[in-house]
Amino acid sequence: MSAEVLVVDGGRTADQAGRPVTEVAVGVLIDAQGRFLLTSRPPGKVYAGYWEFPGGKLEAGESVEEALRRELIEEIGVCIGPAHAWRTQLVDYPHALVRLHFCKVYAWSGELQMHEGQQFSWERLPVQCAPVLAGTVPVLRWLEEEAAAPR
């Protein structure tokens, strides 16, 4: 879990007092070749065209894993196996204060179907797609740190 707040809008001081936190479940899908899935933000949404890990907001009463299962079926058409809670990052975007709950997912069924008009890319480090959403940057750094760690 990360105690730091990632502030996105050019150095504004994070002032979270009184701002509601939007809880978001995020899937880091990793295939058998070690590639991870990135999807583009759909047209019409904030940061449309930016690349991120797929996921979405928790609904009332949902756990992170329940929200992730629902969101990935709705957004990309896959039913995931176990979701392994990994890291959490608070991101202070100009439009919202968001707590991202990242889960690693190694098993899923179904073919990718971009239900919201987004694009997808199976990536390795360094990623080739751009621009990458600010909340995705720490995950890429964590993956890089894990890859560099002695086994």
Side-chain angles (χ1 to χ4, degrees), residues 122 129 133 142:
W122 287 103
C129 53
L133 191 63
W142 300 332

Side-chain angles (χ1 to χ4, degrees), residues 13-137:
T13 302
D15 178 17
Q16 297 114 21
R19 288 183 72 197
V21 176
T22 301
E23 304 289 341
V24 175
V26 183
V28 180
L29 278 68
I30 302 173
D31 72 8
Q33 291 81 44
R35 300 175 305 171
F36 50 86
L37 180 69
L38 290 177
T39 58
S40 63
R41 300 269 306 155
K45 289 199 175 180
V46 176
Y47 298 105
Y50 279 70
W51 291 84
E52 66 180 351
F53 291 92
K57 297 176 189 172
L58 275 69
E59 293 182 353
E62 271 186 324
S63 70
V64 170
E65 186 168 349
E66 290 167 339
L68 187 58
R69 286 184 188 290
R70 177 184 49 74
E71 285 285 346
L72 294 186
I73 289 169
E74 290 174 3
E75 284 184 16
I76 63 172
V78 298
C79 183
I80 62 170
H84 305 277
W86 182 38
R87 305 253 183 135
T88 303
Q89 176 71 56
L90 191 61
V91 182
D92 188 355
Y93 288 106
H95 70 285
L97 183 60
V98 180
R99 183 175 295 115
L100 302 170
H101 299 268
F102 294 99
C103 300
K104 287 186 176 179
V105 177
Y106 298 96
W108 57 88
S109 60
E111 295 294 320
L112 289 174
Q113 302 168 14
M114 301 294 108
H115 292 190
E116 297 180 344
Q118 70 274 49
Q119 298 175 15
F120 73 92
S121 181
W122 287 103
E123 293 285 329
R124 295 182 190 278
L125 296 171
V127 298
Q128 301 303 303
C129 53
V132 175
L133 191 63
T136 298
V137 173

